[in-house]
Amino acid sequence: MGTVHGSGSVEGGAPLVEVRGVSKRFGGTQALDDVSVSLAPGEVHAFVGENGAGKSTLGKVVAGLYSADSGRLLVGGREVQRWDPLRAQQAGVAMIAQELSLVPELTVAENVFLGVEEHRLGILRGTLAARFARLEDEVGFGLPPRARVRELRLADQQKVEIMRSLARDARVIVMDEPTSSLTTHETQRLHRLIQHLKAQDRTIVYVSHFLDAVFEVSDTISIMRDGRLVRSAPAMQETKRSVVEGMLGRRLDATFPPRPATVSAEVAPILQVSDLASERGARGASLAVRPGEIVGLLGLVGSGRTEIARAIFGADRVTGGDVCFDGERITGKRPRDAISRGMVFVPEDRHHQGLVLDRSVKENVSLAFLDRFSRHGIIATRDERHAVTDMVQSLQMRPPAIDLPVAGFSGGNQQKALLSKWLIGQPRLVILDEPTRGVDIGAKFTIYEAITALARRGVAVLLISSEHEEVLNLSHRAYLVIDGRTRGEVDPSSTPADEVLFQLFSVADTTLKEQPA
Amino acid sequence: MPAHTTPAATRALFFVRDYAVLILLVILLVVLAMASPSFFTFANLMNIANQNVPLAMIAAAGTFVIVSGNFDLSTGAMFAVGSVSAAAIADGTGNPWLGLLAAPVICVALGLVNGVAVTTLRVHSFLATLATSLVFSAIAVMVTGGSLITVTVDGFTDLGRLRVGGVFIAVIVLATFVAVLWFTLQRTLFGRHVFAVGGNADAAELSGIRVAKVRICVFMLSGLAAGLAAAIAVSRISSGQPQAGLGMELEAIAAIILGGTSIYGGVGAVWRSISGVYLIALIGNGFDIMSVNPQLKDLVTGVIILAAVALAAVGNRRR
Amino acid sequence: MPAHTTPAATRALFFVRDYAVLILLVILLVVLAMASPSFFTFANLMNIANQNVPLAMIAAAGTFVIVSGNFDLSTGAMFAVGSVSAAAIADGTGNPWLGLLAAPVICVALGLVNGVAVTTLRVHSFLATLATSLVFSAIAVMVTGGSLITVTVDGFTDLGRLRVGGVFIAVIVLATFVAVLWFTLQRTLFGRHVFAVGGNADAAELSGIRVAKVRICVFMLSGLAAGLAAAIAVSRISSGQPQAGLGMELEAIAAIILGGTSIYGGVGAVWRSISGVYLIALIGNGFDIMSVNPQLKDLVTGVIILAAVALAAVGNRRR
Amino acid sequence: GGGSDSDGGYRVAVLAASSQNGYNQAVYQGVEEAVAETGADVDLQLLDGQFDANTQLSQLQNTTTSGDYDGVIVVPNDGPGLAAAFPLAQEIPVVTVLNPIGPDIEEMEPQVEGVVSTVAVPPSEAAAKQAEGVAEYCADKDPCKAVLLVGQLNAPLDVARRDAYQGVLEQHDNVEIVATVEGNYDRDQSLTAITNVLQANRDIDAILSNADQQTSGAQVALQNAGIEPSSIYLTGGGGTKDAVTAVREGTWKADYINFPVSMGKAAFEQLHNALTGEDVESWVDADAVGDVEPYATKETLDEAPDFGGEWNG
Ligand SMILES: Nc1ncnc2c1ncn2[C@@H]1O[C@H](COP(=O)(O)OP(=O)(O)OP(=O)(O)O)[C@@H](O)[C@H]1O
Ligand SMILES: Nc1ncnc2c1ncn2[C@@H]1O[C@H](COP(=O)(O)OP(=O)(O)OP(=O)(O)O)[C@@H](O)[C@H]1O
Ligand SMILES: [Mg+2]
Ligand SMILES: [Mg+2]
């Protein structure tokens, strides 16, 4: 595949970093196959492609985390022989990894300036707070510098990653799905930041599955498919449709499948939650979900949607209120009780709460319902294999090699494994927390279809997503969530996304006013 | 940047990485067979198998502990308690089987103590079992007052010394135990849960697995192995003493890790630990039958362990 | 947070969790002072401090190893090599200081070997240092042929036995060493990087930290401590022998973890390890000065460790 | 010493190499018996050295600085290392049992100021006598194949023993040392080692071990291999009850007997002499404190039918 130089939109200066004919193989997977791209100063260069197309791998080769099997890497016009993160950093290349990579026991500020600490003769100088404050002025994320990263929620950790890449003062920053946990609002803030960096003649590599965002910020788009570069072209020459076609090799006509038929209000809810409070942050949630119904939770980051879901599922200690499932009170029971009754929970953090990364896809997918594939405690391996293969194929996971460890799969495909793990149990109620995080646009559609198919089969779905569009387009009803509490319902079919945001912010304001001090 | 590697070469590398301990075991077998005519005889190989039955049992069960992300540093002390209890009870009651049965029963109870300590105190098992091991060895000392209990009861030595068709009963017991554990780890619900707990305890909990229960079971299994091992060893030498098993916990852990089971949990296999045990055992046997200065044994063992590790590293060379 | 705990109560819980080892140390000091008039004397306290200088040094440096996510099981063996080399060199050259200096120098080199083995073989340091420890002890045996080297050179015992104003030189050396290490871990670039490597090696690598270099340095530091400890110990007993240091590696690790440093790496402090060392030392001293059956010492030590752990768990009670 | 009770009694510390070991238990028992026999008002305190040289050194320092004790009996883990505690902080008498304190493990006369008496035997001398028994048995066999089963070859004491064994046996051309293995004072390890040795050398004539536990293990190995233990020269060291029985029954040809209880008694007697200002023997030959000939064979034991060994471990 030939190289197309796509830096035309900017001054057209010599490329800062150039990748020529790079290939990289992992075991049986050709992650990169003769890929060439060049990154010009002052451009925002997007990598797009399906899950597993090789975007992260390419980013990691540029940032020195992986060494390619073959091919050349040129930085500032000179070929580099030895390349690793430190050399990359010294040459002005930094990266935000897709799978967050922070030191949990260090503080926010320590993480941000890790590796670039100011010191005199090896002794740290007390400038950390001041440096952090200066950086914070620029980015305005409002993170507490002295909090341990372990205590932050995912979105805030992602902000730490972003700040860390900025703290390197890099000329090239590879951002691998920097917004996968951020809300629209925060994404906007990042985009302004990117424009600011661009104005300083820095290069941003922007890897994202949000094509709107890609078109909003990028100057050049490189489309990848199956480890190969399809083309690099100025963003102006591309349309959303042309990009999707390049990525998938086919057309994608609709973004969302049709909404399943509305369930009558007379049907008894399978899940009835009243005034639920938990140790971790649910403060009074009341909601109901009927069989065949998709119910959304709409909230800002930190509003406590995850905490409500965890409390319902029994993952956190409940301190008040009630959960009734199928007419039975299950308040305060453990996850295994919920699972055995047919309630499942797909967590937002697939690495920490969802998957056992070192084990195979097969073992992960069957884990929660293993008793169904076993007799007297002994696993019926053939049944297991069939069921898992069917499940991952229905979600189009790639490669469909169920004996490989999950760790080796691309982010989006790991997400599919996570969904498979919970759908394989044919549950009656599915709680989905950010089910499409890191999933490509084609696969997203597959997941949406899977969700609507569930509802059509009579399964109840509780959907949490920071992409409010998802909630609004899929669900029958949606609750607004503020500060761990449910605050009224909206009708998704008639509410535009900005109206939701407006409501969330205004109710949040009144909440603040209501609470003295 | 490294040159192209063909798929065949890659496969070979992976094979070396995954089976380093087996490869070294075979190499050592061949070298010893060539070096000494007395080595590759049925009698000698049977002896090697037999001598290491106790350690192999503890390592086999220890695999579960390590795979579940834990450590059991108390196996040596449980072994001591098992040894002295078996000897004391057989000696006291005159019933050999009562004594031998007591060891595994008591040690399972001690394993339960470990499991409960680890799960309720929420402390890393390394420290918890270190503490319980002190308590257990003190118990062993108190049972005997510090001295040796010699057992002269008839039939007490059968378990440790008798053979069936040339094969030691102890070896048969080990083979059965290992087969059951192997099957349990690879093919049962419990085995899968052990892997899941070791790989990601949070995810396991959210998948409805009773993590604490799995942990407790794993420690009880380790106790069972220590007790069985003690019964066999005490029957073999027909005496129990509180220093028995000293250092055995570390030997077992070393063999497990040498086999290739990950110290971080989540990855491992029973056959690996058994290979690790016998790799080290072969070195010792070689020294004894070839009459080499025993002061060099440690040196050679250390170098061979490093070689096994280096071999496994070959396949991991590339990032 | 539990619904009904006040911030003050929460703070108290956190205090207990974070300072469990110190609290226990203080309780034990008070109990012993009340139980025996001979305990709380300058001479006795100075003795306790002095006796545990070698272990405390190894534990202080071992903190870096554990915080960096590694294990050093070879400190005992390095100590042995240091001991015999110091004795052999002092005896051979007649120069006491040359001998005493040789121990740390040689042990730093051994630490370098450990570091290189761990980083190039990409094996867990538990296994790598276990293997090198076998090699090192064999070296110690070969240096001496297994026998004892008695040093009669004048001045050789100064380091271990002399006092300055009633305070042992060894204690002063320890205090300095600990102060430097404390400062290094908390306030220097290197210390920060040790925490980062132990907390998340991938993140550290990504941040441009030379992870392998940090690991190697940490093992060299551990070697330095073992060597210094050996120099002090060998000077104190004016003889070197290859079994010196046996089991010291585990005592040091136990003290470090008892202090509250996480076995997973990324969290810990030098003062914690020193507290751990002296907590165990106080138990031993208490048994010696009070008329208690010494067979109970292990039992009591085990129970006190569990108590420390349980105390620390109080603050973590919540799910 | 400052620790005397007001009524004129004594406080004595007994520093065991390990309190959890049969030999040390027996020594302590001897001390207790001697205390009872002398009728003196003595308060005994047993300290556990945990087989750790450093621990024991600390204990010796603690007992002599605290001023709580009038005298010390010690079973050293590491005699040369313990010398570091001398000169003592306070002048109290120290009696050492089993090993001398000081740089030379063969020198029985006190090597450091403060040790008033040593109840022991030079290890090489005892080992040499054991080896002579082998040479004698081998006199009319050529070749006579011997196996050395020694404790730990990284321990100076055992290395000295091995050297003494070799020194004697090398003088006899017909005696061939076919293997030297470590028994680690453990039955099971000795069983393993001798089983392995027998694979290569089925026709051995003698096994020379420095400890009874090891010999017991070797005996099992022989039996497992179908070799009648009494058909070869099997000997050990220690004089445990099991060993004495084995020699009486002819299973073992000989045993080097120790008398830990009598040694403990002798040690206290010397300490008591020192405390009361009487004459102290600076070296008590530990081979001479027992009721029987220490280099025991079936014949010598037949002369003392009541002797059953002083300890078990
Ligand atoms: N460390 C690894 N070990 C084994 N295989 C890997 C590894 N990293 C990536 N792969 C494989 O390489 C291919 C490309 O992965 P990569 O992570 O680059 O995809 P991606 O384009 O970033 O996908 P996504 O959008 O899902 O993040 C995938 O098939 C993946 O399975
Ligand atoms: N591990 C944790 N420990 C303590 N508190 C937490 C933890 N995780 C989250 N919280 C708190 O719980 C509240 C809600 O968290 P969270 O951000 O997960 O909500 P959310 O609505 O699910 O948001 P999103 O899903 O968009 O991240 C926050 O106030 C947060 O500080
Ligand atoms: Mg990716
Ligand atoms: Mg959430």
Side-chain angles (χ1 to χ4, degrees):
Chain A
M1 183 88 20
T3 313
V4 183
H5 286 276
S7 47
S9 65
V10 208
E11 303 130 67
L16 268 178
V17 173
E18 213 181 334
V19 173
R20 285 196 195 153
V22 158
S23 297
K24 172 82 181 168
R25 208 181 164 82
F26 292 103
T29 320
Q30 190 74 44
L32 291 179
D33 185 1
D34 191 22
V35 172
S36 305
V37 283
S38 56
L39 310 173
E43 81 165 342
V44 178
H45 192 131
F47 292 172
V48 297
E50 277 182 295
N51 294 132
K55 307 178 295 291
S56 297
T57 307
L58 184 58
K60 285 178 180 175
V61 168
V62 169
L65 266 79
Y66 286 161
S67 57
D69 297 339
S70 61
R72 298 193 294 162
L73 181 67
L74 282 75
V75 176
R78 289 233 308 270
E79 180 164 352
V80 293
Q81 297 300 337
R82 305 181 60 191
W83 196 235
D84 59 31
L86 179 57
R87 289 195 174 85
Q89 193 167 299
Q90 284 161 349
V93 181
M95 175 161 187
I96 304 169
Q98 181 178 10
E99 303 305 344
L100 299 182
S101 187
L102 296 164
V103 184
E105 300 296 340
L106 292 184
T107 65
V108 168
E110 285 167 353
N111 264 288
V112 167
F113 294 100
L114 190 62
V116 291
E117 296 90 351
E118 283 186 351
H119 63 96
R120 192 178 288 139
L121 302 171
I123 296 167
L124 293 171
R125 298 178 55 191
T127 53
L128 192 62
R131 288 175 83 194
F132 186 86
R134 243 178 288 137
L135 189 58
E136 171 62 29
D137 278 348
E138 248 177 80
V139 300
F141 284 152
L143 292 175
R146 299 169 68 93
R148 297 205 179 276
V149 161
R150 165 170 57 89
E151 291 154 8
L152 298 185
R153 56 189 145 82
L154 211 56
D156 286 342
Q157 293 190 8
Q158 194 149 46
K159 293 181 207 158
V160 177
E161 282 261 11
I162 295 169
M163 287 182 80
R164 182 172 68 173
S165 68
L166 299 177
R168 306 279 104 186
D169 209 21
R171 288 183 300 152
V172 179
I173 304 178
V174 179
M175 298 184 174
D176 195 353
E177 307 211 12
T179 63
S180 63
S181 296
L182 301 188
T183 54
T184 332
H185 186 66
E186 288 161 328
T187 303
Q188 289 306 324
R189 189 188 289 277
L190 178 66
H191 287 178
R192 281 198 299 277
L193 213 62
I194 288 176
Q195 297 303 342
H196 183 65
L197 292 169
K198 191 175 138 179
Q200 297 170 356
D201 236 17
R202 297 173 204 247
T203 306
I204 309 293
V205 173
Y206 190 86
V207 182
S208 178
H209 290 297
F210 300 109
L211 292 185
D212 292 334
V214 166
F215 275 100
E216 188 184 324
V217 291
S218 56
D219 305 305
T220 310
I221 299 178
S222 286
I223 303 172
M224 298 185 68
R225 187 164 80 224
D226 294 337
R228 293 172 160 269
L229 181 72
V230 176
R231 63 173 175 268
S232 287
M236 293 176 314
Q237 294 173 15
E238 299 277 5
T239 62
K240 210 165 156 182
R241 165 169 293 203
S242 69
V243 168
V244 170
E245 268 181 39
M247 279 166 58
L248 306 184
R250 64 187 157 95
R251 287 163 72 157
L252 194 65
D253 295 318
T255 344
F256 290 97
R259 214 185 301 258
T262 309
V263 179
S264 146
E266 258 115 74
V267 177
I270 186 168
L271 177 72
Q272 182 87 54
V273 176
S274 49
D275 220 16
L276 187 65
S278 79
E279 226 174 41
R280 271 275 281 280
R283 294 198 172 81
S286 303
L287 55 91
V289 189
R290 298 181 177 81
E293 200 177 32
I294 303 174
V295 173
L297 294 185
L298 291 166
L300 304 174
V301 165
S303 57
R305 294 160 301 173
T306 298
E307 282 63 28
I308 292 172
R310 286 179 60 93
I312 294 172
F313 189 58
D316 290 341
R317 188 137 92 216
V318 171
T319 53
D322 260 324
V323 182
C324 280
F325 183 70
D326 201 17
E328 188 189 356
R329 188 171 173 272
I330 58 162
T331 323
K333 291 211 187 293
R334 308 283 324 192
R336 62 174 168 274
D337 302 309
I339 294 168
S340 67
R341 285 168 174 78
M343 183 201 295
V344 302
F345 170 57
V346 180
E348 60 182 335
D349 184 346
R350 59 178 174 256
H351 272 196
H352 292 112
Q353 287 154 22
L355 297 168
V356 186
L357 292 174
D358 286 335
R359 304 308 302 175
S360 67
V361 171
K362 182 184 72 184
E363 286 184 27
N364 270 285
V365 170
S366 64
L367 186 64
F369 298 97
L370 208 49
D371 46 349
R372 301 198 188 162
F373 309 111
S374 55
R375 226 162 289 129
H376 310 303
I378 295 166
I379 297 163
T381 37
R382 202 166 306 149
D383 294 358
E384 182 195 21
R385 174 168 293 278
H386 278 146
V388 171
T389 308
D390 288 353
M391 189 68 233
V392 301
Q393 275 176 358
S394 76
L395 287 180
Q396 295 164 20
M397 191 174 126
R398 256 178 287 163
I402 62 171
D403 290 313
L404 294 182
V406 170
F409 283 80
S410 76
N413 283 305
Q414 291 181 4
Q415 187 67 30
K416 293 179 199 167
L418 180 65
L419 278 170
S420 303
K421 168 180 172 178
W422 291 108
L423 298 188
I424 199 170
Q426 298 177 335
R428 293 193 294 155
L429 169 70
V430 185
I431 305 174
L432 297 164
D433 196 358
E434 313 285 0
T436 59
R437 195 159 80 82
V439 169
D440 71 54
I441 190 163
K444 260 183 193 165
F445 192 76
T446 315
I447 291 175
Y448 298 151
E449 279 183 319
I451 294 172
T452 50
L454 283 173
R456 282 197 193 91
R457 285 207 311 271
V459 176
V461 178
L462 184 61
L463 177 65
I464 300 171
S465 173
S466 294
E467 278 179 71
H468 290 151
E469 290 288 353
E470 281 184 2
V471 176
L472 296 177
N473 281 289
L474 292 171
S475 55
H476 297 109
R477 296 184 294 120
Y479 295 91
L480 297 179
V481 177
I482 291 151
D483 193 27
R485 287 170 238 260
T486 43
R487 287 289 184 131
E489 260 185 73
V490 293
D491 177 8
S493 53
S494 63
T495 320
D498 13 342
E499 169 64 20
V500 170
L501 270 182
F502 175 75
Q503 284 203 22
L504 286 171
F505 278 114
S506 56
V507 183
D509 286 346
T510 52
T511 316
L512 287 178
K513 274 172 215 147
E514 278 166 21
Q515 285 175 343
Chain B
M1 288 182 190
H4 286 270
T5 42
T6 65
T10 311
R11 261 203 301 282
L13 277 179
F14 281 156
F15 181 83
V16 169
R17 183 194 63 187
D18 290 344
Y19 296 98
V21 63
L22 269 193
I23 294 170
L24 237 97
L25 197 66
V26 171
I27 292 176
L28 207 60
L29 272 170
V30 172
V31 168
L32 287 172
M34 294 198 304
S36 162
S38 359
F39 173 77
F40 211 74
T41 59
F42 176 75
N44 189 45
L45 295 179
M46 179 51 62
N47 272 334
I48 299 176
N50 184 43
Q51 286 156 5
N52 295 283
V53 164
L55 186 62
M57 285 189 141
I58 293 179
T63 315
F64 282 69
V65 179
I66 303 260
V67 166
S68 77
N70 290 286
F71 260 86
D72 190 350
L73 291 182
S74 75
T75 47
M78 290 194 287
F79 183 91
V81 174
S83 298
V84 297
S85 329
I89 291 173
D91 202 40
T93 63
N95 184 334
W97 293 104
L98 202 65
L100 294 177
L101 203 67
V105 170
I106 292 174
C107 289
V108 167
L110 298 182
L112 177 65
V113 171
N114 279 334
V116 171
V118 168
T119 49
T120 60
L121 297 184
R122 287 147 185 262
V123 58
H124 195 277
S125 47
F126 192 95
L127 187 58
T129 57
L130 195 70
T132 57
S133 84
L134 290 172
V135 175
F136 298 164
S137 4
I139 292 174
V141 170
M142 286 187 298
V143 167
T144 62
S147 56
L148 184 91
I149 300 176
T150 308
V151 186
T152 48
V153 179
D154 255 10
F156 188 74
T157 57
D158 288 356
L159 177 64
R161 297 193 201 169
L162 278 200
R163 302 172 185 230
V164 173
V167 180
F168 284 99
I169 291 184
V171 173
I172 298 172
V173 173
L174 172 68
T176 316
F177 189 72
V178 166
V180 170
L181 259 55
W182 188 334
F183 185 83
T184 305
L185 191 58
Q186 298 304 327
R187 295 289 300 277
T188 69
L189 215 63
F190 176 66
R192 280 288 172 79
H193 289 179
V194 171
F195 278 120
V197 168
N200 187 342
D202 287 341
E205 184 81 48
L206 282 181
S207 304
I209 295 172
R210 295 162 200 255
V211 173
K213 210 165 121 187
V214 170
R215 289 217 173 101
I216 290 176
C217 286
V218 152
F219 279 103
M220 287 171 73
L221 181 64
S222 180
L224 174 69
L228 274 177
I232 288 172
V234 81
S235 152
R236 190 181 285 166
I237 59 173
S238 63
S239 69
Q241 54 174 336
Q243 309 100 293
L246 204 79
M248 215 168 186
E249 63 284 354
L250 280 186
E251 282 174 49
I253 295 174
I256 294 167
I257 306 178
L258 176 58
T261 291
S262 163
I263 204 172
Y264 298 111
V267 189
V270 173
W271 68 263
R272 297 188 166 278
S273 308
I274 303 296
S275 308
V277 167
Y278 284 100
L279 180 59
I280 295 176
L282 280 188
I283 304 170
N285 183 268
F287 265 85
D288 287 347
I289 62 170
M290 299 202 297
S291 189
V292 191
N293 179 1
Q295 291 182 329
L296 295 176
K297 186 160 31 177
D298 277 355
L299 186 77
V300 172
T301 309
V303 168
I304 290 186
I305 293 179
L306 287 175
V309 159
L311 207 56
V314 168
N316 276 331
R317 188 71 40 239
R318 302 157 327 127
R319 262 218 307 264
Chain C
M1 271 169 221
H4 310 295
T5 42
T6 64
T10 311
R11 260 203 302 280
L13 275 180
F14 282 156
F15 182 83
V16 168
R17 183 194 62 187
D18 291 344
Y19 297 97
V21 63
L22 266 193
I23 294 171
L24 239 97
L25 197 66
V26 171
I27 292 177
L28 207 61
L29 272 171
V30 172
V31 168
L32 287 173
M34 294 196 305
S36 164
S38 9
F39 173 76
F40 212 74
T41 59
F42 178 77
N44 190 43
L45 294 179
M46 180 49 66
N47 268 339
I48 299 175
N50 184 40
Q51 285 151 8
N52 295 284
V53 164
L55 187 61
M57 284 189 143
I58 292 179
T63 314
F64 282 69
V65 179
I66 303 261
V67 167
S68 77
N70 290 287
F71 261 85
D72 190 350
L73 291 181
S74 76
T75 46
M78 291 195 286
F79 183 92
V81 174
S83 298
V84 297
S85 328
I89 291 173
D91 199 43
T93 62
N95 184 334
W97 293 105
L98 204 62
L100 294 177
L101 202 68
V105 170
I106 290 174
C107 289
V108 166
L110 298 182
L112 177 65
V113 171
N114 279 333
V116 170
V118 168
T119 50
T120 61
L121 298 185
R122 285 145 186 262
V123 59
H124 194 277
S125 47
F126 192 95
L127 187 59
T129 57
L130 195 69
T132 57
S133 83
L134 291 173
V135 175
F136 297 164
S137 7
I139 292 174
V141 171
M142 286 188 299
V143 167
T144 61
S147 53
L148 185 89
I149 300 174
T150 307
V151 186
T152 48
V153 178
D154 256 10
F156 188 73
T157 58
D158 289 356
L159 177 63
R161 298 194 198 168
L162 277 199
R163 301 173 185 231
V164 174
V167 180
F168 284 100
I169 292 185
V171 174
I172 299 172
V173 172
L174 172 68
T176 316
F177 189 71
V178 167
V180 171
L181 259 53
W182 189 333
F183 183 83
T184 305
L185 191 57
Q186 299 303 330
R187 302 291 297 274
T188 69
L189 201 63
F190 176 64
R192 179 68 50 80
H193 291 182
V194 169
F195 277 114
V197 168
N200 185 345
D202 287 342
E205 183 88 50
L206 187 70
S207 304
I209 293 172
R210 289 259 180 250
V211 173
K213 214 161 115 186
V214 171
R215 289 218 174 101
I216 291 175
C217 287
V218 154
F219 280 102
M220 287 172 74
L221 181 64
S222 179
L224 175 69
L228 274 176
I232 288 172
V234 81
S235 150
R236 192 179 284 168
I237 63 174
S238 64
S239 66
Q241 52 176 319
Q243 324 97 297
L246 206 76
M248 215 167 187
E249 63 284 354
L250 281 185
E251 283 174 50
I253 293 174
I256 293 167
I257 304 178
L258 176 59
T261 291
S262 164
I263 202 174
Y264 298 113
V267 193
V270 173
W271 67 262
R272 294 187 168 279
S273 308
I274 302 297
S275 308
V277 166
Y278 284 101
L279 181 59
I280 295 176
L282 279 190
I283 303 171
N285 186 268
F287 265 86
D288 288 350
I289 62 170
M290 298 197 294
S291 280
V292 193
N293 177 2
Q295 292 187 334
L296 295 175
K297 187 176 356 186
D298 276 355
L299 191 78
V300 171
T301 310
V303 169
I304 290 187
I305 292 179
L306 286 175
V309 159
L311 208 57
V314 167
N316 278 331
R317 192 53 59 232
R318 306 160 315 126
R319 263 219 306 258
Chain D
S4 308
D5 296 351
S6 48
D7 54 4
Y10 298 108
R11 264 180 72 97
V12 171
V14 180
L15 272 54
S18 159
S19 69
Q20 319 192 339
N21 159 274
Y23 196 98
N24 285 267
Q25 288 278 327
V27 171
Y28 187 63
Q29 184 194 332
V31 174
E32 282 179 319
E33 284 176 15
V35 169
E37 276 170 27
T38 52
D41 174 12
V42 175
D43 184 10
L44 287 179
Q45 164 71 11
L46 178 64
L47 301 184
D48 181 4
Q50 297 183 313
F51 283 130
D52 180 50
N54 209 26
T55 303
Q56 201 170 37
L57 178 63
S58 318
Q59 289 172 337
L60 188 55
Q61 284 168 341
N62 288 351
T63 47
T64 52
T65 46
S66 70
D68 290 344
Y69 295 96
D70 305 291
V72 175
I73 295 171
V74 55
V75 184
N77 258 313
D78 170 20
L82 272 193
F86 295 86
L88 299 173
Q90 290 175 354
E91 277 186 29
I92 59 172
V94 174
V95 177
T96 176
V97 183
L98 189 62
N99 297 315
I101 294 176
D104 187 351
I105 54 181
E106 304 286 348
E107 174 57 57
M108 295 297 114
E109 290 298 334
Q111 302 173 42
V112 289
E113 188 97 9
V115 172
V116 295
S117 180
T118 303
V119 185
V121 187
S124 298
E125 207 171 283
K129 283 196 185 148
Q130 265 191 296
E132 274 156 18
V134 175
E136 210 170 290
Y137 173 82
C138 283
D140 47 1
K141 281 192 169 62
D142 193 8
C144 186
K145 295 188 175 176
V147 177
L148 303 187
L149 177 57
V150 285
Q152 297 168 336
L153 287 177
N154 62 355
L157 203 59
D158 289 336
V159 171
R161 290 192 177 113
R162 181 202 58 187
D163 293 346
Y165 291 156
Q166 284 176 345
V168 171
L169 297 182
E170 273 162 10
Q171 291 166 16
H172 300 268
D173 291 338
N174 60 324
V175 183
E176 186 193 337
I177 300 174
V178 293
T180 303
V181 289
E182 288 179 302
N184 210 9
Y185 297 89
D186 182 76
R187 274 200 196 192
D188 199 39
Q189 287 188 34
S190 307
L191 166 59
T192 298
I194 296 298
T195 303
N196 291 345
V197 168
L198 288 174
Q199 289 305 318
N201 310 278
R202 254 196 85 80
D203 50 349
I204 57 168
D205 300 294
I207 296 176
L208 177 49
S209 148
N210 67 309
D212 291 341
Q213 302 95 317
Q214 297 170 173
T215 315
S216 298
Q219 180 187 329
V220 177
L222 290 167
Q223 285 163 339
N224 285 350
I227 299 171
E228 177 53 45
S230 61
S231 71
I232 71 159
Y233 188 89
L234 188 56
T235 184
T240 57
K241 292 176 174 144
D242 289 350
V244 172
T245 313
V247 176
R248 276 193 200 286
E249 289 170 350
T251 321
W252 300 5
K253 286 285 180 297
D255 193 52
Y256 168 49
I257 295 186
N258 284 16
F259 308 99
V261 176
S262 306
M263 286 159 74
K265 267 188 201 172
F268 182 74
E269 283 158 15
Q270 297 309 322
L271 187 73
H272 193 247
N273 289 348
L275 290 170
T276 53
E278 287 165 53
D279 280 350
V280 179
E281 284 177 61
S282 57
W283 173 35
V284 177
D285 183 353
D287 278 355
V289 296
D291 303 330
V292 296
E293 157 67 31
Y295 300 94
T297 59
K298 189 168 178 349
E299 290 73 37
T300 64
L301 287 176
D302 283 346
E303 288 166 23
D306 295 336
F307 181 76
E310 292 197 345
W311 67 292
N312 217 2

